[in-house]
Amino acid sequence: MLADDADDEGELLIRLEVPAISGLRGGGGGGGNGYTGSGGAGAEIVEAFLQRQLERKVLLPPGALTIAPGKAAWRLSLAVYCLNYDGGLADAAVLAALGALAHTQLPPASYDAKSGRVLVGTEAGAADGPQASPGGRLTLIARPVPLSFARMHERTLADPSAEEEALSEARLFVLVDESGALRAVLKPGGMPLADGELRACVDLAVARAPALLAMLDDALDAAL
């Protein structure tokens, strides 16, 4: 989608759709575990987490969405759909969003100063010069990697199932990057966790990140 009135860098809009068919339900007996009601509140928490952590300036290099500086840029709208829920909504949503962006290819586009129009595809011609973008596949400058945890029966479980999440006393989402640096921690309610438990969760997320990225790369290679 074109964003003619966008700033030079364009926009990246992400939303999370969790229809009733997905099977996501409330918090069960655990209460306060981050998924309440019929799943709406939980989905909203994860969606807000995605929007904060997967911003354009975090994932894409400067100018990646620019067509003509000060005139036009791309607005990317990404919808992540959960069709069959069995835990790890944040994990699956982050990886799905990264995969979709890495697989996105923009068409050539140019800005016609005379008409004030943006020309796309074959209309854009060679798409060369300061008022044009040659398009091509997006390059990600960062790939945040998520891992979910659930606290139940005095144990902290990594990558919990939907049943384990429903019985949990607390939930935790940890986001790290490829270098092993901590990017974000989200704990939507529930009982408090000790500092040592939090540190152990972060360490496990760092250790798990290479395997998750390898799975993502394999999926992308198979799709290309």
Side-chain angles (χ1 to χ4, degrees):
M1 182 181 297
L2 291 173
D4 295 306
D5 57 348
D7 62 23
D8 287 359
E9 297 297 330
E11 297 178 87
L12 173 58
L13 310 175
I14 298 179
R15 74 178 191 273
L16 176 63
E17 300 287 346
V18 187
I21 194 175
S22 70
L24 179 60
R25 293 293 181 266
N33 67 353
Y35 290 149
T36 59
S38 61
E44 291 170 2
I45 290 172
V46 174
E47 182 180 58
F49 185 66
L50 290 177
Q51 292 169 347
R52 287 195 306 269
Q53 302 304 325
L54 303 184
E55 293 182 302
R56 170 194 52 75
K57 61 184 179 181
V58 172
L59 299 181
L60 301 176
L65 302 182
T66 300
I67 297 172
K71 298 295 184 181
W74 289 104
R75 176 187 294 127
L76 302 185
S77 180
L78 172 59
V80 178
Y81 284 82
C82 174
L83 300 181
N84 187 7
Y85 176 72
D86 190 23
L89 179 60
D91 300 6
V94 169
L95 292 173
L98 292 178
L101 289 170
H103 200 259
T104 296
Q105 183 158 337
L106 300 177
S110 61
Y111 177 76
D112 184 356
K114 291 184 178 179
S115 65
R117 294 177 59 230
V118 174
L119 309 178
V120 180
T122 56
E123 279 192 322
D128 191 17
Q131 298 295 300
S133 168
R137 194 172 302 279
L138 290 178
T139 299
L140 302 183
I141 58 174
R143 295 196 298 175
V145 186
L147 188 59
S148 293
F149 298 88
R151 174 71 171 173
M152 59 184 298
H153 305 311
E154 299 185 354
R155 295 179 180 271
T156 302
L157 307 178
D159 191 18
S161 66
E163 182 178 1
E164 289 167 339
E165 288 180 347
L167 296 173
S168 67
E169 300 155 347
R171 299 286 312 287
L172 184 70
F173 308 132
V174 176
L175 200 66
V176 300
D177 64 20
E178 293 177 270
S179 69
L182 178 63
R183 283 201 172 255
V185 173
L186 174 66
K187 185 179 176 300
M191 65 176 292
L193 298 178
D195 290 345
E197 291 177 292
L198 291 173
R199 182 69 259 179
C201 290
V202 172
D203 290 343
L204 185 56
V206 171
R208 178 65 172 158
L212 291 176
L213 288 174
M215 292 171 60
L216 178 61
D217 289 336
D218 288 344
L220 289 171
D221 290 342
L224 296 177

